[in-house]
């Protein structure tokens, strides 16, 4: 899922590693997109992880966020939702 992928990226980066590429599936078109170039609809949930939905186009992410009560986010903003707790 996008949430699990971003949580893994956040942990990997927190451990000092660098990733060359991360892909996610666009919710609207069902195509692979580079995670760092995607736009996201992020919605807080009652669970420990927010619901994150990736999109190729900003307008699609904004419309989805508006319709689901979420917020529009960039890659870095979506990734920040998954920063590991300090050691």
């Amino acid at each position: 899922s996008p949430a699990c992928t971003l949580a893994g990226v956040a942990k990997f980066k927190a451990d000092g590693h660098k990733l060359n590429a991360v892909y996610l599936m666009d919710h609207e078109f069902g195509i692979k997109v580079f995670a760092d170039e995607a736009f996201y609809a992020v919605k807080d949930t009652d669970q420990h992880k927010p619901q994150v939905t990736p999109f190729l186009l900003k307008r699609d992410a904004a419309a989805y966020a508006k319709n689901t009560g979420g917020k529009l986010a960039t890659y870095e903003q979506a990734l920040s939702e998954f920063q590991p707790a300090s050691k």
Side-chain angles (χ1 to χ4, degrees), residues 38-60:
F39 298 94
Y40 299 86
V42 178
K43 182 178 179 186
D44 292 329
T45 65
D46 293 334
Q47 301 167 355
H48 296 288
K49 294 179 186 174
Q51 177 184 344
V52 179
T53 309
F55 292 88
L56 173 66
L57 301 175
K58 184 177 183 178
R59 70 171 187 241
D60 293 339

Side-chain angles (χ1 to χ4, degrees), residues 58-68:
K58 184 177 183 178
R59 70 171 187 241
D60 293 339
Y64 189 85
K66 182 179 178 183
N67 290 337
T68 60

Side-chain angles (χ1 to χ4, degrees), residues 11-42:
K11 182 176 181 342
F12 201 71
K13 288 176 78 172
D15 290 344
H17 302 287
K18 183 176 178 184
L19 295 164
N20 291 326
V22 177
Y23 299 96
L24 293 169
M25 297 301 287
D26 170 87
H27 184 74
E28 186 72 20
F29 300 111
I31 60 173
K32 255 196 287 190
V33 296
F34 286 106
D36 63 342
E37 294 180 10
F39 298 94
Y40 299 86
V42 178

